[in-house]
Amino acid sequence: MEIGEVLTRQRRERDLGLAVHDAEDAPAADSASAARRDAFRRLVDLHLDRYYRLAAVILGDAVVAQDAVHDAFVQAWRKWDSLREPARFEAWFGRIVVNTCRNLQQRERRRVARDISECTGLRAPDSLSTVPDQLVIREAFRRLKPEDRTILALRYYLDLKVDDIAVVMGLRSRAAASRLHRALERLRLVLEEDATKDAVA
Amino acid sequence: MNEHDDMNQHHLEARLRSAIHTEADEADPGALHERVRSIPDTVEPQPQRWWHGLSSGASRGAGLDGARVKGGTTMFSAVRVAAVVAALALGTTFAINTISEPTGGPTPGAVADAEWLGVTGSGRFQIDTRNGGVFGRQAMSDDRVSGDVYTTWEAESGANEEGDWTMWGATRITNEQGTWEGEYAGFIEPDGQRNAMGWFEGSGAYEGLSYLQHMHGYLGDVTLTGLVYPGSIPPTVVRGMDGPLKPAPPLPEG
């Protein structure tokens, strides 16, 4: 077989994912595989807590957040080879986490819509004055739309700048700034509504 | 915004930041570290797609070496294309011999359970006479899968008994937020209409999403339907009766 044909065949096999390593190549392949696993685990150790907590804030449920982050890391591992610039891992993985949370929220919203009758009267009859401020804010935050919660969490938990939020959410910077502003406004409105209801009560 | 509003804004931001950090700190990852660290022990990484990292020069030649047309017995009928759509829509098992043992792709259950979105739209394409590909734009009911399209293609050397010519290739759909890339396969009907199915991976803002698209019609006026769903495409999508198809011509660099 001509050398050109051999190279062409090898290239085709590689392109199709069919390449079979010769026995002498096996240690090198094992080593590469081990290095990839190590790199993945290093990034897990570095980033898991941060993204898990981000997911917990966005989803408002620590257990669901565990599943979301696990699923996001599964996707990241499966697509490891498509991460062309390791330095951009955070932006790449941030998108995966945000998209995973978004999908879970949509699914959860359907479930909540079915079970809403069970939730009536859930709210405790505490007056505003006796409820710590953080709980008031957190309750209002949970009543925001998922998109609002996501952008507020990226800004006020991860402390991302608007340009970085835009990258993670797949928006233009101006759109990200506008959405962030609107999300804060909606939070303010929810807080005002709550304060009015509590005052009437 | 006056000074009073400005103070209110800062006050609200400070309260929100404090509340969010408290909630975040309360979330305990617990055993999640071990669970996630063990992912490489149980999940196979997806093999790198042949279109990843290809440059327009040498790789274009690599994909196009030899003739544009190829002889063979590969079959890809309308029945199979329809069956893939039906299988996804109904959440049933893939039982189509053009798809080889998906080991880690979207299982039917995952597709049925996850939030997937059906989309419709149309496209207008024309032959890229210089490079032999097809380019144009598609407009879909969901902006995420609308944008500029570039497609390469291969075709069988002759029509099958029904008069259809098998074709396959690679497609890239690009818009401001991200890109979809992947392979498609289908056939040219005797009257010249294209009928094909493509399975694409999202990147950019669409990282973690996949898109399955069916196209039908003449190049200048194509009807498109598809599904956007979370997860990956199957490890190997297109496989002929006698083995993998010759690689589709690579896309030029985006």
Short mmCIF file of all heavy atoms in Angstrom, two decimals, chain A residues 11-12 15 41 45 49 53 66-67 75 77-79 92 95 99 103 106-107 110 133-134 138 142 156 159 170 172 184 188, chain B residues 9 13 15 17-18 21-24 26-27 29 33 35 37 41 43 46 50 65 104 113 115 176-177 204-205 207-208 230:
data_model
loop_
_atom_site.label_atom_id
_atom_site.label_comp_id
_atom_site.label_asym_id
_atom_site.label_seq_id
_atom_site.Cartn_x
_atom_site.Cartn_y
_atom_site.Cartn_z
N ARG A 11 -6.48 8.73 8.07
CA ARG A 11 -7.21 9.97 8.26
C ARG A 11 -8.73 9.71 8.26
O ARG A 11 -9.48 10.21 9.07
CB ARG A 11 -6.86 10.94 7.12
CG ARG A 11 -7.38 12.35 7.34
CD ARG A 11 -6.91 13.25 6.23
NE ARG A 11 -7.35 12.78 4.94
CZ ARG A 11 -6.65 12.88 3.81
NH1 ARG A 11 -5.47 13.41 3.81
NH2 ARG A 11 -7.14 12.43 2.68
N ARG A 12 -9.13 8.84 7.32
CA ARG A 12 -10.56 8.52 7.27
C ARG A 12 -11.02 7.83 8.54
O ARG A 12 -12.07 8.12 9.08
CB ARG A 12 -10.82 7.58 6.07
CG ARG A 12 -10.60 8.25 4.74
CD ARG A 12 -11.95 8.60 4.12
NE ARG A 12 -11.76 9.40 2.94
CZ ARG A 12 -11.61 8.90 1.72
NH1 ARG A 12 -11.63 7.60 1.55
NH2 ARG A 12 -11.47 9.70 0.69
N ASP A 15 -11.23 10.33 11.19
CA ASP A 15 -12.39 11.19 10.99
C ASP A 15 -13.68 10.51 11.40
O ASP A 15 -14.61 11.11 11.90
CB ASP A 15 -12.49 11.61 9.52
CG ASP A 15 -11.38 12.59 9.15
OD1 ASP A 15 -10.74 13.12 10.07
OD2 ASP A 15 -11.17 12.79 7.94
N ARG A 41 -11.20 16.38 36.32
CA ARG A 41 -11.40 16.38 37.78
C ARG A 41 -10.82 17.64 38.43
O ARG A 41 -11.38 18.13 39.41
CB ARG A 41 -10.79 15.11 38.38
CG ARG A 41 -11.67 13.91 38.07
CD ARG A 41 -11.10 12.60 38.53
NE ARG A 41 -12.04 11.54 38.26
CZ ARG A 41 -11.72 10.33 37.80
NH1 ARG A 41 -10.45 10.04 37.57
NH2 ARG A 41 -12.64 9.42 37.58
N ASP A 45 -12.99 20.14 40.74
CA ASP A 45 -12.60 20.63 42.08
C ASP A 45 -12.60 22.15 42.13
O ASP A 45 -12.95 22.75 43.14
CB ASP A 45 -11.22 20.09 42.45
CG ASP A 45 -11.25 18.58 42.66
OD1 ASP A 45 -12.36 18.05 42.85
OD2 ASP A 45 -10.18 17.94 42.60
N ASP A 49 -18.27 23.88 43.32
CA ASP A 49 -19.00 24.57 44.39
C ASP A 49 -19.67 25.84 43.87
O ASP A 49 -20.83 26.11 44.16
CB ASP A 49 -18.04 24.94 45.53
CG ASP A 49 -17.69 23.72 46.36
OD1 ASP A 49 -18.16 22.61 46.02
OD2 ASP A 49 -16.93 23.87 47.34
N ARG A 53 -23.71 26.31 43.59
CA ARG A 53 -24.41 27.36 44.34
C ARG A 53 -25.15 28.31 43.40
O ARG A 53 -26.23 28.80 43.72
CB ARG A 53 -23.44 28.09 45.25
CG ARG A 53 -22.94 27.16 46.35
CD ARG A 53 -22.16 27.84 47.44
NE ARG A 53 -22.04 26.94 48.57
CZ ARG A 53 -20.89 26.42 49.01
NH1 ARG A 53 -19.76 26.73 48.41
NH2 ARG A 53 -20.88 25.60 50.03
N GLN A 66 -28.33 20.01 42.47
CA GLN A 66 -27.32 18.93 42.38
C GLN A 66 -27.48 18.18 41.07
O GLN A 66 -26.51 17.88 40.38
CB GLN A 66 -27.48 17.97 43.56
CG GLN A 66 -27.05 18.58 44.88
CD GLN A 66 -26.64 17.54 45.91
OE1 GLN A 66 -26.64 16.35 45.62
NE2 GLN A 66 -26.27 17.99 47.09
N ASP A 67 -28.73 17.86 40.73
CA ASP A 67 -28.97 17.15 39.47
C ASP A 67 -28.57 18.01 38.27
O ASP A 67 -27.99 17.52 37.30
CB ASP A 67 -30.45 16.76 39.35
CG ASP A 67 -30.82 15.65 40.33
OD1 ASP A 67 -29.89 14.95 40.79
OD2 ASP A 67 -32.01 15.51 40.65
N GLN A 75 -22.52 16.57 30.48
CA GLN A 75 -22.45 17.13 29.11
C GLN A 75 -21.06 17.66 28.82
O GLN A 75 -20.54 17.50 27.71
CB GLN A 75 -23.47 18.26 28.97
CG GLN A 75 -24.89 17.75 28.85
CD GLN A 75 -25.77 18.77 28.15
OE1 GLN A 75 -25.37 19.32 27.13
NE2 GLN A 75 -26.94 19.02 28.69
N TRP A 77 -18.25 16.68 30.06
CA TRP A 77 -17.32 15.57 29.86
C TRP A 77 -17.53 14.92 28.49
O TRP A 77 -16.58 14.63 27.77
CB TRP A 77 -17.50 14.53 30.97
CG TRP A 77 -16.73 13.26 30.73
CD1 TRP A 77 -17.24 12.02 30.49
CD2 TRP A 77 -15.30 13.10 30.69
NE1 TRP A 77 -16.25 11.10 30.30
CE2 TRP A 77 -15.04 11.75 30.42
CE3 TRP A 77 -14.23 13.99 30.85
CZ2 TRP A 77 -13.75 11.24 30.31
CZ3 TRP A 77 -12.94 13.49 30.73
CH2 TRP A 77 -12.72 12.13 30.47
N ARG A 78 -18.79 14.74 28.13
CA ARG A 78 -19.08 14.11 26.84
C ARG A 78 -18.54 14.96 25.69
O ARG A 78 -18.11 14.45 24.68
CB ARG A 78 -20.58 13.91 26.67
CG ARG A 78 -21.14 12.74 27.51
CD ARG A 78 -22.63 12.53 27.26
NE ARG A 78 -22.94 12.45 25.85
CZ ARG A 78 -22.72 11.41 25.08
NH1 ARG A 78 -22.20 10.33 25.59
NH2 ARG A 78 -23.01 11.43 23.80
N LYS A 79 -18.58 16.27 25.88
CA LYS A 79 -18.17 17.16 24.79
C LYS A 79 -16.78 17.74 25.03
O LYS A 79 -16.44 18.77 24.48
CB LYS A 79 -19.20 18.29 24.65
CG LYS A 79 -20.60 17.78 24.39
CD LYS A 79 -21.58 18.88 24.21
CE LYS A 79 -21.39 19.54 22.86
NZ LYS A 79 -22.40 20.55 22.58
N TRP A 92 -17.76 28.66 28.64
CA TRP A 92 -18.34 27.48 27.97
C TRP A 92 -19.21 26.71 28.94
O TRP A 92 -20.37 26.38 28.66
CB TRP A 92 -17.18 26.63 27.47
CG TRP A 92 -17.52 25.36 26.76
CD1 TRP A 92 -18.02 25.23 25.49
CD2 TRP A 92 -17.33 24.02 27.25
NE1 TRP A 92 -18.16 23.90 25.18
CE2 TRP A 92 -17.74 23.15 26.24
CE3 TRP A 92 -16.84 23.50 28.45
CZ2 TRP A 92 -17.69 21.77 26.38
CZ3 TRP A 92 -16.79 22.12 28.59
CH2 TRP A 92 -17.21 21.27 27.56
N ARG A 95 -22.44 28.50 30.15
CA ARG A 95 -23.58 28.37 29.24
C ARG A 95 -24.29 27.04 29.43
O ARG A 95 -25.52 26.97 29.41
CB ARG A 95 -23.10 28.46 27.78
CG ARG A 95 -22.76 29.83 27.33
CD ARG A 95 -22.62 29.85 25.82
NE ARG A 95 -21.82 30.98 25.44
CZ ARG A 95 -20.59 30.89 24.96
NH1 ARG A 95 -20.04 29.72 24.79
NH2 ARG A 95 -19.93 31.96 24.64
N ASN A 99 -28.12 26.77 30.51
CA ASN A 99 -29.08 26.07 29.65
C ASN A 99 -29.71 24.88 30.39
O ASN A 99 -30.89 24.61 30.23
CB ASN A 99 -28.40 25.57 28.36
CG ASN A 99 -28.27 26.69 27.33
OD1 ASN A 99 -29.09 27.59 27.28
ND2 ASN A 99 -27.23 26.63 26.52
N ASN A 103 -33.74 24.50 31.22
CA ASN A 103 -34.58 23.35 30.87
C ASN A 103 -35.26 22.76 32.09
O ASN A 103 -36.44 22.39 32.05
CB ASN A 103 -33.73 22.28 30.18
CG ASN A 103 -33.30 22.72 28.81
OD1 ASN A 103 -34.05 23.34 28.09
ND2 ASN A 103 -32.06 22.42 28.44
N GLN A 106 -38.16 24.99 33.14
CA GLN A 106 -39.35 24.86 32.32
C GLN A 106 -40.13 23.61 32.70
O GLN A 106 -41.35 23.60 32.77
CB GLN A 106 -38.97 24.83 30.84
CG GLN A 106 -38.57 26.22 30.36
CD GLN A 106 -37.94 26.20 29.00
OE1 GLN A 106 -37.38 25.19 28.58
NE2 GLN A 106 -37.99 27.31 28.30
N ARG A 107 -39.38 22.54 32.97
CA ARG A 107 -40.03 21.28 33.35
C ARG A 107 -40.70 21.45 34.71
O ARG A 107 -41.81 21.02 34.93
CB ARG A 107 -38.97 20.18 33.42
CG ARG A 107 -39.55 18.82 33.25
CD ARG A 107 -38.50 17.82 32.91
NE ARG A 107 -37.41 17.79 33.88
CZ ARG A 107 -36.29 17.10 33.71
NH1 ARG A 107 -36.09 16.44 32.61
NH2 ARG A 107 -35.36 17.08 34.61
N ARG A 110 -43.97 23.38 34.66
CA ARG A 110 -45.15 22.58 34.29
C ARG A 110 -45.66 21.81 35.50
O ARG A 110 -46.83 21.70 35.75
CB ARG A 110 -44.78 21.61 33.16
CG ARG A 110 -44.63 22.31 31.83
CD ARG A 110 -44.65 21.28 30.74
NE ARG A 110 -43.70 20.21 30.98
CZ ARG A 110 -42.76 19.84 30.14
NH1 ARG A 110 -42.63 20.47 29.01
NH2 ARG A 110 -41.96 18.85 30.40
N ASP A 133 -35.20 40.70 56.70
CA ASP A 133 -35.16 41.30 55.36
C ASP A 133 -34.71 40.30 54.29
O ASP A 133 -35.26 40.26 53.19
CB ASP A 133 -34.23 42.50 55.39
CG ASP A 133 -34.20 43.21 54.06
OD1 ASP A 133 -35.26 43.70 53.63
OD2 ASP A 133 -33.13 43.24 53.43
N GLN A 134 -33.74 39.47 54.64
CA GLN A 134 -33.22 38.54 53.62
C GLN A 134 -34.29 37.56 53.16
O GLN A 134 -34.34 37.19 51.99
CB GLN A 134 -32.04 37.77 54.20
CG GLN A 134 -30.77 38.59 54.25
CD GLN A 134 -29.55 37.71 54.31
OE1 GLN A 134 -29.66 36.50 54.53
NE2 GLN A 134 -28.39 38.29 54.12
N ARG A 138 -35.56 37.01 49.44
CA ARG A 138 -35.46 35.68 48.83
C ARG A 138 -36.81 35.20 48.31
O ARG A 138 -36.91 34.57 47.27
CB ARG A 138 -34.85 34.68 49.83
CG ARG A 138 -33.34 34.86 49.92
CD ARG A 138 -32.75 34.22 51.12
NE ARG A 138 -32.86 32.78 51.13
CZ ARG A 138 -32.22 32.01 52.01
NH1 ARG A 138 -31.42 32.55 52.92
NH2 ARG A 138 -32.36 30.71 51.97
N ARG A 142 -37.64 34.42 44.38
CA ARG A 142 -38.15 33.15 43.86
C ARG A 142 -39.39 33.32 43.01
O ARG A 142 -39.73 32.44 42.22
CB ARG A 142 -38.47 32.21 45.03
CG ARG A 142 -37.22 31.59 45.59
CD ARG A 142 -37.50 30.67 46.72
NE ARG A 142 -36.23 30.29 47.35
CZ ARG A 142 -36.13 29.80 48.56
NH1 ARG A 142 -37.21 29.60 49.29
NH2 ARG A 142 -34.96 29.48 49.05
N TYR A 156 -25.19 39.09 40.70
CA TYR A 156 -24.99 39.34 42.14
C TYR A 156 -24.44 38.14 42.90
O TYR A 156 -24.10 38.30 44.06
CB TYR A 156 -26.30 39.86 42.77
CG TYR A 156 -26.71 41.16 42.16
CD1 TYR A 156 -27.79 41.24 41.28
CD2 TYR A 156 -25.99 42.32 42.43
CE1 TYR A 156 -28.14 42.44 40.70
CE2 TYR A 156 -26.33 43.52 41.84
CZ TYR A 156 -27.40 43.58 40.97
OH TYR A 156 -27.72 44.77 40.39
N ASP A 159 -20.93 37.73 40.36
CA ASP A 159 -20.33 39.06 40.19
C ASP A 159 -19.80 39.27 38.77
O ASP A 159 -18.76 39.91 38.57
CB ASP A 159 -19.20 39.30 41.19
CG ASP A 159 -19.75 39.58 42.59
OD1 ASP A 159 -20.82 40.22 42.67
OD2 ASP A 159 -19.12 39.16 43.56
N GLY A 170 -25.72 34.34 25.95
CA GLY A 170 -25.89 34.40 24.50
C GLY A 170 -26.65 35.65 24.05
O GLY A 170 -27.50 35.58 23.18
N ARG A 172 -26.48 40.11 23.31
CA ARG A 172 -25.61 41.26 23.10
C ARG A 172 -25.48 41.99 24.43
O ARG A 172 -26.39 41.92 25.27
CB ARG A 172 -26.22 42.19 22.06
CG ARG A 172 -26.15 41.66 20.66
CD ARG A 172 -26.75 42.66 19.72
NE ARG A 172 -26.59 42.23 18.34
CZ ARG A 172 -27.02 42.93 17.31
NH1 ARG A 172 -27.62 44.08 17.50
NH2 ARG A 172 -26.84 42.48 16.09
N LEU A 184 -34.22 43.78 37.81
CA LEU A 184 -34.17 44.50 39.09
C LEU A 184 -35.47 45.27 39.34
O LEU A 184 -35.98 45.31 40.46
CB LEU A 184 -32.99 45.48 39.09
CG LEU A 184 -31.69 45.01 39.73
CD1 LEU A 184 -30.65 46.11 39.63
CD2 LEU A 184 -31.89 44.62 41.19
N ARG A 188 -38.11 44.86 42.38
CA ARG A 188 -38.58 45.99 43.19
C ARG A 188 -40.12 46.00 43.25
O ARG A 188 -40.71 46.21 44.30
CB ARG A 188 -38.08 47.30 42.58
CG ARG A 188 -38.29 48.52 43.47
CD ARG A 188 -38.17 49.81 42.70
NE ARG A 188 -36.95 49.88 41.93
CZ ARG A 188 -35.76 50.26 42.42
NH1 ARG A 188 -35.68 50.57 43.69
NH2 ARG A 188 -34.71 50.32 41.66
N GLN B 9 -31.54 52.31 44.46
CA GLN B 9 -31.02 51.26 43.58
C GLN B 9 -29.86 50.53 44.26
O GLN B 9 -29.82 49.30 44.30
CB GLN B 9 -30.54 51.91 42.27
CG GLN B 9 -29.86 50.95 41.30
CD GLN B 9 -30.89 50.25 40.42
OE1 GLN B 9 -32.07 50.51 40.52
NE2 GLN B 9 -30.43 49.33 39.59
N GLU B 13 -29.71 46.63 45.47
CA GLU B 13 -28.65 45.74 44.99
C GLU B 13 -27.89 45.11 46.16
O GLU B 13 -27.59 43.92 46.15
CB GLU B 13 -27.69 46.50 44.08
CG GLU B 13 -28.28 46.82 42.72
CD GLU B 13 -27.29 47.57 41.85
OE1 GLU B 13 -26.83 48.65 42.25
OE2 GLU B 13 -26.98 47.07 40.76
N ARG B 15 -29.01 44.60 49.23
CA ARG B 15 -29.88 43.62 49.90
C ARG B 15 -29.94 42.33 49.09
O ARG B 15 -29.89 41.23 49.64
CB ARG B 15 -31.30 44.20 50.04
CG ARG B 15 -31.40 45.34 51.04
CD ARG B 15 -32.72 46.06 50.87
NE ARG B 15 -33.87 45.26 51.30
CZ ARG B 15 -35.13 45.51 50.90
NH1 ARG B 15 -35.39 46.50 50.06
NH2 ARG B 15 -36.13 44.76 51.34
N ARG B 17 -27.76 41.21 46.86
CA ARG B 17 -26.47 40.52 46.87
C ARG B 17 -26.30 39.73 48.17
O ARG B 17 -25.91 38.56 48.17
CB ARG B 17 -25.34 41.55 46.73
CG ARG B 17 -23.97 40.91 46.47
CD ARG B 17 -22.89 41.98 46.50
NE ARG B 17 -23.13 43.05 45.54
CZ ARG B 17 -22.75 43.03 44.27
NH1 ARG B 17 -22.10 41.99 43.82
NH2 ARG B 17 -22.99 44.04 43.47
N SER B 18 -26.66 40.36 49.27
CA SER B 18 -26.52 39.70 50.57
C SER B 18 -27.44 38.47 50.66
O SER B 18 -27.02 37.40 51.10
CB SER B 18 -26.87 40.72 51.66
OG SER B 18 -26.98 40.07 52.89
N HIS B 21 -26.15 35.62 48.38
CA HIS B 21 -24.96 34.96 48.92
C HIS B 21 -25.31 34.08 50.11
O HIS B 21 -24.75 32.99 50.28
CB HIS B 21 -23.89 35.99 49.27
CG HIS B 21 -23.05 36.37 48.09
ND1 HIS B 21 -21.85 35.76 47.79
CD2 HIS B 21 -23.26 37.26 47.10
CE1 HIS B 21 -21.35 36.28 46.68
NE2 HIS B 21 -22.18 37.19 46.24
N THR B 22 -26.25 34.54 50.94
CA THR B 22 -26.66 33.71 52.07
C THR B 22 -27.30 32.42 51.58
O THR B 22 -26.99 31.32 52.06
CB THR B 22 -27.68 34.48 52.95
OG1 THR B 22 -27.07 35.69 53.37
CG2 THR B 22 -28.07 33.65 54.16
N GLU B 23 -28.19 32.56 50.58
CA GLU B 23 -28.84 31.36 50.05
C GLU B 23 -27.81 30.43 49.42
O GLU B 23 -27.86 29.21 49.60
CB GLU B 23 -29.89 31.75 49.00
CG GLU B 23 -30.55 30.53 48.38
CD GLU B 23 -31.89 30.83 47.74
OE1 GLU B 23 -32.24 32.02 47.63
OE2 GLU B 23 -32.58 29.88 47.36
N ALA B 24 -26.86 31.01 48.70
CA ALA B 24 -25.82 30.20 48.07
C ALA B 24 -24.98 29.46 49.11
O ALA B 24 -24.68 28.28 48.96
CB ALA B 24 -24.93 31.07 47.19
N GLU B 26 -25.86 28.51 51.96
CA GLU B 26 -26.64 27.45 52.62
C GLU B 26 -26.66 26.16 51.80
O GLU B 26 -26.93 25.09 52.33
CB GLU B 26 -28.08 27.92 52.84
CG GLU B 26 -28.20 28.95 53.96
CD GLU B 26 -29.59 29.57 54.00
OE1 GLU B 26 -30.48 29.13 53.24
OE2 GLU B 26 -29.77 30.51 54.79
N ALA B 27 -26.43 26.29 50.50
CA ALA B 27 -26.49 25.11 49.64
C ALA B 27 -25.21 24.30 49.82
O ALA B 27 -24.11 24.79 49.59
CB ALA B 27 -26.63 25.55 48.17
N PRO B 29 -22.98 21.21 48.74
CA PRO B 29 -22.82 20.23 47.65
C PRO B 29 -22.72 18.79 48.14
O PRO B 29 -22.97 17.86 47.39
CB PRO B 29 -21.53 20.67 46.94
CG PRO B 29 -20.82 21.55 47.89
CD PRO B 29 -21.84 22.15 48.81
N HIS B 33 -19.44 16.26 44.87
CA HIS B 33 -18.07 16.22 44.35
C HIS B 33 -17.72 14.82 43.87
O HIS B 33 -17.24 14.63 42.75
CB HIS B 33 -17.07 16.66 45.42
CG HIS B 33 -16.80 18.13 45.42
ND1 HIS B 33 -15.86 18.71 44.62
CD2 HIS B 33 -17.37 19.14 46.10
CE1 HIS B 33 -15.86 20.02 44.81
NE2 HIS B 33 -16.76 20.31 45.71
N ARG B 35 -19.69 12.36 43.23
CA ARG B 35 -20.58 11.93 42.14
C ARG B 35 -20.09 12.47 40.80
O ARG B 35 -20.05 11.77 39.80
CB ARG B 35 -21.98 12.46 42.46
CG ARG B 35 -23.09 11.86 41.68
CD ARG B 35 -24.42 12.38 42.24
NE ARG B 35 -25.44 12.43 41.22
CZ ARG B 35 -26.45 13.32 41.22
NH1 ARG B 35 -26.56 14.20 42.17
NH2 ARG B 35 -27.33 13.30 40.25
N ARG B 37 -17.00 13.71 40.16
CA ARG B 37 -15.65 13.25 39.84
C ARG B 37 -15.65 11.85 39.23
O ARG B 37 -14.72 11.46 38.51
CB ARG B 37 -14.78 13.25 41.11
CG ARG B 37 -14.29 14.64 41.50
CD ARG B 37 -13.55 14.58 42.82
NE ARG B 37 -12.33 13.79 42.74
CZ ARG B 37 -11.14 14.24 42.34
NH1 ARG B 37 -11.01 15.50 42.01
NH2 ARG B 37 -10.10 13.45 42.29
N ASP B 41 -15.60 7.76 34.90
CA ASP B 41 -15.56 6.31 35.06
C ASP B 41 -16.78 5.63 34.44
O ASP B 41 -16.76 4.43 34.18
CB ASP B 41 -15.49 5.93 36.55
CG ASP B 41 -14.25 6.52 37.21
OD1 ASP B 41 -13.24 6.69 36.50
OD2 ASP B 41 -14.32 6.81 38.43
N VAL B 43 -19.11 7.47 32.09
CA VAL B 43 -19.62 8.10 30.86
C VAL B 43 -18.49 8.17 29.83
O VAL B 43 -17.39 8.62 30.15
CB VAL B 43 -20.15 9.52 31.14
CG1 VAL B 43 -20.63 10.19 29.86
CG2 VAL B 43 -21.27 9.47 32.17
N GLN B 46 -17.73 11.82 24.12
CA GLN B 46 -18.18 11.74 22.74
C GLN B 46 -16.96 11.81 21.82
O GLN B 46 -16.12 12.69 22.02
CB GLN B 46 -19.08 12.93 22.49
CG GLN B 46 -19.97 12.85 21.31
CD GLN B 46 -20.88 14.08 21.29
OE1 GLN B 46 -20.44 15.22 21.18
NE2 GLN B 46 -22.16 13.86 21.41
N TRP B 50 -15.73 14.74 13.10
CA TRP B 50 -14.71 14.99 12.09
C TRP B 50 -14.70 16.42 11.62
O TRP B 50 -13.71 16.92 11.12
CB TRP B 50 -14.86 14.03 10.91
CG TRP B 50 -16.17 14.15 10.18
CD1 TRP B 50 -17.28 13.41 10.39
CD2 TRP B 50 -16.50 15.08 9.16
NE1 TRP B 50 -18.29 13.82 9.57
CE2 TRP B 50 -17.84 14.83 8.78
CE3 TRP B 50 -15.81 16.10 8.50
CZ2 TRP B 50 -18.48 15.57 7.81
CZ3 TRP B 50 -16.46 16.81 7.52
CH2 TRP B 50 -17.77 16.54 7.19
N ASP B 65 -11.14 14.65 -1.71
CA ASP B 65 -10.25 13.92 -2.60
C ASP B 65 -11.03 12.80 -3.29
O ASP B 65 -11.94 12.22 -2.76
CB ASP B 65 -9.01 13.38 -1.87
CG ASP B 65 -9.37 12.48 -0.70
OD1 ASP B 65 -10.56 12.25 -0.50
OD2 ASP B 65 -8.45 12.05 -0.01
N GLY B 104 -24.61 6.71 23.75
CA GLY B 104 -24.67 7.74 24.78
C GLY B 104 -25.44 8.95 24.36
O GLY B 104 -25.41 9.97 25.01
N ASP B 113 -38.71 13.29 28.12
CA ASP B 113 -38.83 13.94 29.41
C ASP B 113 -38.37 15.39 29.38
O ASP B 113 -38.86 16.23 30.11
CB ASP B 113 -37.98 13.20 30.46
CG ASP B 113 -38.60 11.86 30.78
OD1 ASP B 113 -39.79 11.68 30.50
OD2 ASP B 113 -37.88 11.02 31.29
N GLU B 115 -37.24 19.23 28.07
CA GLU B 115 -37.99 20.29 27.41
C GLU B 115 -37.49 20.40 25.99
O GLU B 115 -36.42 20.94 25.74
CB GLU B 115 -37.74 21.59 28.16
CG GLU B 115 -38.55 22.77 27.66
CD GLU B 115 -40.04 22.57 27.88
OE1 GLU B 115 -40.40 21.83 28.81
OE2 GLU B 115 -40.83 23.15 27.12
N GLU B 176 -26.10 35.31 15.32
CA GLU B 176 -25.26 36.14 16.20
C GLU B 176 -24.97 35.47 17.54
O GLU B 176 -23.97 35.76 18.18
CB GLU B 176 -25.95 37.49 16.45
CG GLU B 176 -25.90 38.38 15.23
CD GLU B 176 -26.63 39.69 15.43
OE1 GLU B 176 -27.31 39.82 16.46
OE2 GLU B 176 -26.51 40.55 14.56
N GLN B 177 -25.86 34.58 17.97
CA GLN B 177 -25.69 34.01 19.30
C GLN B 177 -24.87 32.72 19.31
O GLN B 177 -24.32 32.35 20.34
CB GLN B 177 -27.06 33.72 19.93
CG GLN B 177 -27.63 34.90 20.71
CD GLN B 177 -28.07 36.02 19.80
OE1 GLN B 177 -28.79 35.79 18.84
NE2 GLN B 177 -27.61 37.22 20.06
N GLY B 204 -21.59 28.08 21.19
CA GLY B 204 -21.89 29.46 21.55
C GLY B 204 -23.01 29.45 22.57
O GLY B 204 -22.97 28.69 23.54
N ALA B 205 -24.05 30.24 22.31
CA ALA B 205 -25.16 30.30 23.27
C ALA B 205 -25.95 29.00 23.31
O ALA B 205 -26.78 28.82 24.18
CB ALA B 205 -26.08 31.45 22.89
N GLU B 207 -24.68 25.92 23.48
CA GLU B 207 -23.89 24.84 24.06
C GLU B 207 -24.81 23.95 24.90
O GLU B 207 -25.62 24.44 25.69
CB GLU B 207 -22.81 25.46 24.96
CG GLU B 207 -21.64 24.56 25.21
CD GLU B 207 -20.77 24.36 23.98
OE1 GLU B 207 -20.24 25.33 23.43
OE2 GLU B 207 -20.66 23.19 23.59
N GLY B 208 -24.71 22.66 24.72
CA GLY B 208 -25.54 21.75 25.50
C GLY B 208 -26.87 21.41 24.85
O GLY B 208 -27.61 20.58 25.35
N PRO B 230 -32.35 19.50 24.75
CA PRO B 230 -31.11 19.48 25.53
C PRO B 230 -30.45 18.12 25.40
O PRO B 230 -31.13 17.10 25.33
CB PRO B 230 -31.59 19.71 26.97
CG PRO B 230 -32.99 19.22 26.98
CD PRO B 230 -33.55 19.45 25.61
#
